[in-house]
Structures are given as structure tokens and as C-alpha cells.
Amino acid sequence: MLSYSEKSMCSNVLFLDCIEDFPVDRDVSSKKLCIIKTDFKKLSPLKRISAKYPQMEIWLAGKNITRENIFAANKYDIKNVLPYPYDLKPIMEFFRNKKEKNDSHLLTEVPYWIKGMKVMIVDDNEMNVSLLEETLSDTGVQIRSFTNPFDAADAVSKERFDLFLLDIMMPDMSGFELGEIIRKSELNSQSLMMFISALSDRENKITGYNLGSVAYIEKPFDVDVVRCQITSALKTKQLNDAMNDTKESFLAMVTHDLKSPVNSEIAALELLLKNFSTSNDIDKEDIISDILGATKYMKNLIENVLNKYRYDNQKYCITKELHPIKNLIEESIEETKYSILNKQQRIQFVNRAKTKMILIDYLELKRVIHNLLTNATEYAPKHSVIEIDVSENKKYIVFAIKNENNGHIIKNPDDLFDKFVSQAKKNKKISSGLGLYISKKVIEAHDGSISIDVKDPKYVRFVFTLPK
């Protein structure tokens, strides 16, 4: 006798004694599998059946299964040939694999970057707490669970959480009351909340959403659905937090990076105005040169911001012409003079390439070298030497910029080329993280590549290549 699961699976199978028995007067699209008994002689109707029901898999079954018969079935894309009478094991396996495939497709992908986010679970029922803990067990989030809402309220005042999962019906303090404490707390007023309750009336749902809940989950709940809701909410929070941090960092970068050269320009202009009649031409030239350097620095910063917009909106294009390699490097060094002089650093340029001219967008390549030199100047110690080396191989001109690392540890160097990523925050500096991102885009637009070498912890070496 067939079990319930076997009967359920067989109900999704269309069993036929021959191809001619395939129904033409009724719809069988609900069937997942069709098994046809055959002598393998007249298989041409299979084309029509497959075309009409592409979602239904077709198997053949027969008493005489030979190599020739299997080849004949394969011509019609038949995936399985069974001996007759039928064995249910392959059929059971077919539906089991189909279910596992569908289940795995439905599972929510958990991004690695929600790992470590903190979730508080509050429910007076230990079984519900355990179920929620199991639901989140493979997400990598940190979980703190409470069956006593007063203990949870105490933790709210001492620790920051990203998400609260709150039962509503609890003795002495309801989930709504705890939610109000969370909203008034200094650490968690902006944290996410979800209410989980057997109460399904509209008043409770409205109360929950008025407290800022991002979801109202009714008990009993589907574990996979709740896991998806929680993961989605944490992903959204992480992205929003990152965007807010980026906006703040970007604003701080602009004000900080523009403040220094603007102050230098003001001081230089005041000095020039004050001593204009008594200063000789050489002093005036030096002051004007400093002002020009500060202005070029600000110009490059502004162009980085504008180019970031162009790259993101696919409005970026380059115009290539032949230019001398030596001029490219020397002009880039000159335009970075302001930053280098501030830290009393020195640049050492060695050109070992025999090729003199290169096909490039001159202004964009100067921007790359300017960004790399500015980065080197920023992170290298005072009085250090920044090395620029140009060489070549059969296909490429190779540019390398090397500077002392001043003890900074770079754990994931390739990440520095991502947008808004920099070492500035770790090293108590302000930076937009746009310079290296833009440099990579420019190099790739020239069909080249750029990388960072930190094998020697004392140094950082940026290397980029351009086709000859």
C-alpha cells in the first residue's frame, strides 16, 4: 500500500500505457511528470507533447530496454528510461530533488556584512525565544535574548542594538511599553523594531506601526518568512547607515580638504598685499606659486567629485592622443608640489622605459598620478622619499609609485579601489575615498590595470599598466 507522501507524489504523475493515450481533450499542465509505456517504435508524437507542456518532464518505460532504445529516446530529449513494471524509487527521488531545489531557491541570501549586527529578542515564552534564535542561527548576527522585559529594558539603556524582536503580550510590561522605552532611549531611539504576537486585530497592528515597527509578525509564523523579513530589514538598515556615514564623511572631507588650501591662499594673499611695495619679485613669485598650487589642489578635488558623478551615470569618456611619458610625470609632480612641500618630502623619478610616447588622455592620466602622489604624500612620514619608476615590457608601460607606509596596516588592499573606501578613518584623517576609485576607472578606460603591493609592510607600492 502506498504511503500518503507516495500517493501525493503519484497524483502529480501522468501514467500512460502508450503515447497514443496522451489526452488531447483535457488540460494536464498541473502534472509535473509523465511516464509513458512504449515499445520505442513510434516516438515522434513526443515533440508535440513537449512543445505543448514544456514544464512537464517526460520519461519512457518499457520491458525491452536496449542501448538503441535509449539512444532513440535521447533524440527526443527524454531524460530517463525506466524498466517496466515501474519502480517508485526514481519517482520519489525526482520529487524530493525538485522540492529541495525549490526550497533552496526560496531561502534568503544572507549578505556577509550583516554579520555582527546586534539583535535583541524579548518574549516571556522560552520556546518562542528558542525558535527565533534558531531562525537567526546561521546569519552571523549577535543575539541577546530575554524572557523578562524589565531585564531587557535595563540592557536597552546600556547597549546599542540594530533590531528588537518584541512579543506584545508579556506580564507586568507589554511589548508596546518596552517599545516606548526603546524609542526614548539615548542609544536605541533609531534602532529597528518588529512586533511578534498572536494578536491579529487592526488596533494592535496600528499601535505597533505608530511606534515605528518595520513589521508586525503574527503567531504562529513561518520560520523562513520571518528569517527573510529580519534579514531584509537588517540589510536595509546597514545600507542606510552606510549612506549616512558616507554623506557625513563626504561633507567632512570637502570642508576639511578645502579649508587648508583656502586658509593658505588667504594667508599668502594677505602677506603679498601687506608687503607688496617692499617685496622683491622673487618673493612675490614664490607666494603666487603657492597660491597657484593650492588652487590646483582644490581644482583636482572638485574634478574628482564631478568625475565620480560621470562614472556612476555612465557619462565618462576619454580622448586619446600621443604624449611624452616624461612630460606626463614631470607635470604631475609639479602640480603636487604644494602637498609635498608641506611635509618636506622629496620625489625621486626614474624613467627606464625606452618608449618615449604613449597614447593616452593626458589630463585624465595626470589626474591618476596626482591622486596617487597625493595619497602617497598623505600617508608617508615627513622628510621621506616618494619614488616614481617607469619601465616597460612587451605589451605595457609600467608605472610604479612607492612610499613609506608610516606603520599603517592595510588588511584588504584591493578594497581601497572601491568607492568611498579609504584608510583615512582608521588613521584619524579625512578622505573621500574617491581618488583611488577614480584612478582605477581611468586606468581601466585605457585598457590597463592597477594594483597595490603591500608585501613589504614598510612600504606601499601602487602599480598601473598602460598598453604601448
Side-chain angles (χ1 to χ4, degrees):
M1 182 177 291
L2 295 178
S3 67
Y4 174 79
S5 61
E6 289 173 336
K7 288 180 180 178
S8 176
M9 288 183 181
C10 287
S11 67
N12 286 310
V13 182
L14 180 63
F15 293 96
L16 300 176
D17 287 332
C18 62
I19 296 178
E20 288 75 14
D21 286 347
F22 193 91
V24 294
D25 56 348
R26 63 188 177 93
D27 183 18
V28 293
S29 57
S30 62
K31 303 295 183 181
K32 308 299 181 189
L33 177 63
C34 176
I35 302 179
I36 306 172
K37 183 183 174 185
T38 180
D39 58 4
F40 298 95
K41 290 182 179 179
K42 295 181 179 180
L43 301 179
S44 57
L46 292 173
K47 283 187 177 180
R48 173 179 51 81
I49 296 171
S50 297
K52 187 173 182 179
Y53 298 102
Q55 302 302 319
M56 181 172 64
E57 191 162 318
I58 300 174
W59 293 358
L60 297 181
K63 295 181 178 180
N64 182 27
I65 299 178
T66 64
R67 184 178 179 184
E68 288 76 13
N69 288 340
I70 293 174
F71 282 150
N74 288 343
K75 289 181 181 179
Y76 294 93
D77 294 326
I78 301 302
K79 296 181 179 179
N80 207 348
V81 178
L82 303 178
Y84 185 84
Y86 306 117
D87 183 353
L88 288 180
K89 287 182 180 179
I91 301 173
M92 298 286 285
E93 188 66 25
F94 168 80
F95 284 101
R96 190 178 297 112
N97 291 339
K98 204 170 188 67
K99 183 179 184 303
E100 289 175 357
K101 184 177 179 181
N102 289 337
D103 288 348
S104 65
H105 176 71
L106 288 172
L107 285 178
T108 306
E109 290 186 9
V110 179
Y112 72 92
W113 34 266
I114 74 167
K115 183 178 180 180
M117 295 184 78
K118 298 175 72 172
V119 177
M120 179 189 283
I121 299 171
V122 187
D123 196 313
D124 61 317
N125 187 320
E126 291 185 2
M127 186 180 296
N128 290 337
V129 170
S130 297
L131 182 59
L132 287 169
E133 288 176 341
E134 185 179 347
T135 301
L136 299 175
S137 61
D138 65 341
T139 61
V141 300
Q142 297 180 28
I143 301 172
R144 287 202 66 188
S145 301
F146 297 88
T147 54
N148 185 329
F150 289 99
D151 292 338
D154 184 57
V156 166
S157 64
K158 299 175 181 177
E159 194 174 348
R160 189 188 302 275
F161 292 87
D162 295 291
L163 171 65
F164 293 89
L165 301 174
L166 308 177
D167 181 34
I168 294 176
M169 295 178 65
M170 294 185 289
D172 302 321
M173 182 189 294
S174 72
F176 290 149
E177 290 172 322
L178 180 56
E180 290 178 353
I181 292 173
I182 291 168
R183 282 291 168 254
K184 293 176 182 178
S185 70
E186 184 177 347
L187 290 174
N188 293 289
S189 60
Q190 301 301 314
S191 300
L192 301 178
M193 280 195 300
M194 291 185 182
F195 290 104
I196 303 176
S197 178
L199 301 172
S200 59
D201 58 286
R202 62 192 296 271
E203 287 78 14
N204 278 296
K205 290 180 181 179
I206 292 171
T207 300
Y209 285 119
N210 283 340
L211 279 169
S213 176
V214 295
Y216 189 100
I217 301 165
E218 296 181 32
K219 297 178 183 178
F221 55 79
D222 185 301
V223 170
D224 291 332
V225 172
V226 171
R227 182 176 180 274
C228 180
Q229 288 175 294
I230 293 171
T231 303
S232 178
L234 290 175
K235 284 196 295 186
T236 302
K237 183 179 189 302
Q238 187 78 300
L239 290 170
N240 287 338
D241 288 350
M243 288 184 68
N244 289 333
D245 287 346
T246 296
K247 289 176 182 177
E248 291 177 9
S249 296
F250 193 73
L251 180 60
M253 177 278 298
V254 172
T255 55
H256 177 277
D257 281 12
L258 289 177
K259 184 178 179 181
S260 295
V262 167
N263 286 341
S264 296
E265 284 189 343
I266 291 171
L269 287 170
E270 287 176 345
L271 181 64
L272 182 63
L273 184 62
K274 182 179 179 180
N275 302 310
F276 189 84
S277 59
T278 58
S279 299
N280 58 44
D281 290 343
I282 296 176
D283 291 337
K284 292 175 183 177
E285 185 177 344
D286 287 342
I287 293 172
I288 293 171
S289 178
D290 287 342
I291 295 171
L292 180 61
T295 305
K296 286 181 177 179
Y297 177 88
M298 291 187 289
K299 178 176 179 286
N300 188 72
L301 173 64
I302 293 167
E303 287 178 346
N304 275 346
V305 175
L306 292 174
N307 276 335
K308 179 262 176 190
Y309 170 80
R310 294 190 188 105
Y311 300 139
D312 289 350
N313 292 277
Q314 299 180 341
K315 295 180 179 180
Y316 175 70
C317 61
I318 59 173
T319 304
K320 294 182 182 180
E321 293 180 354
L322 280 173
H323 291 279
I325 294 173
K326 184 180 178 183
N327 287 6
L328 170 68
I329 301 296
E330 289 178 346
E331 284 190 23
S332 299
I333 293 172
E334 180 63 26
E335 290 188 6
T336 323
K337 176 182 174 183
Y338 172 76
S339 302
I340 296 167
L341 288 175
N342 272 354
K343 295 187 72 173
Q344 299 175 352
Q345 294 163 332
R346 182 169 60 87
I347 291 183
Q348 179 179 304
F349 170 39
V350 177
N351 186 3
R352 297 184 288 116
K354 293 182 180 179
T355 303
K356 304 299 181 185
M357 307 287 285
I358 188 170
L359 190 64
I360 54 171
D361 187 311
Y362 194 72
L363 292 177
E364 292 301 295
L365 257 297
K366 277 208 305 182
R367 189 182 323 286
V368 170
I369 297 171
H370 184 282
N371 284 335
L372 294 178
L373 286 176
T374 301
N375 187 78
T377 302
E378 185 72 21
Y379 292 102
K382 286 185 176 182
H383 309 290
S384 61
V385 177
I386 298 169
E387 300 176 14
I388 301 178
D389 181 270
V390 180
S391 59
E392 66 180 299
N393 55 37
K394 290 182 179 180
K395 293 184 178 180
Y396 299 99
I397 305 295
V398 182
F399 299 79
I401 297 177
K402 177 181 176 182
N403 61 275
E404 291 182 41
N405 199 22
N406 209 13
H408 303 314
I409 298 174
I410 304 175
K411 291 183 178 179
N412 301 301
D414 290 339
D415 291 349
L416 293 180
F417 294 106
D418 292 340
K419 183 169 50 180
F420 298 124
V421 174
S422 82
Q423 293 291 298
K425 194 172 183 180
K426 294 179 182 178
N427 299 307
K428 298 180 180 179
K429 298 175 184 293
I430 302 295
S431 174
S432 64
L434 285 177
L436 296 180
Y437 166 75
I438 288 170
S439 297
K440 183 179 181 181
K441 292 292 185 182
V442 173
I443 297 300
E444 289 177 346
H446 283 78
D447 300 317
S449 64
I450 185 167
S451 61
I452 176 172
D453 177 10
V454 290
K455 293 175 183 176
D456 186 341
K458 294 181 180 179
Y459 296 93
V460 173
R461 183 170 173 263
F462 285 93
V463 180
F464 67 89
T465 61
L466 297 173
K468 286 186 176 180

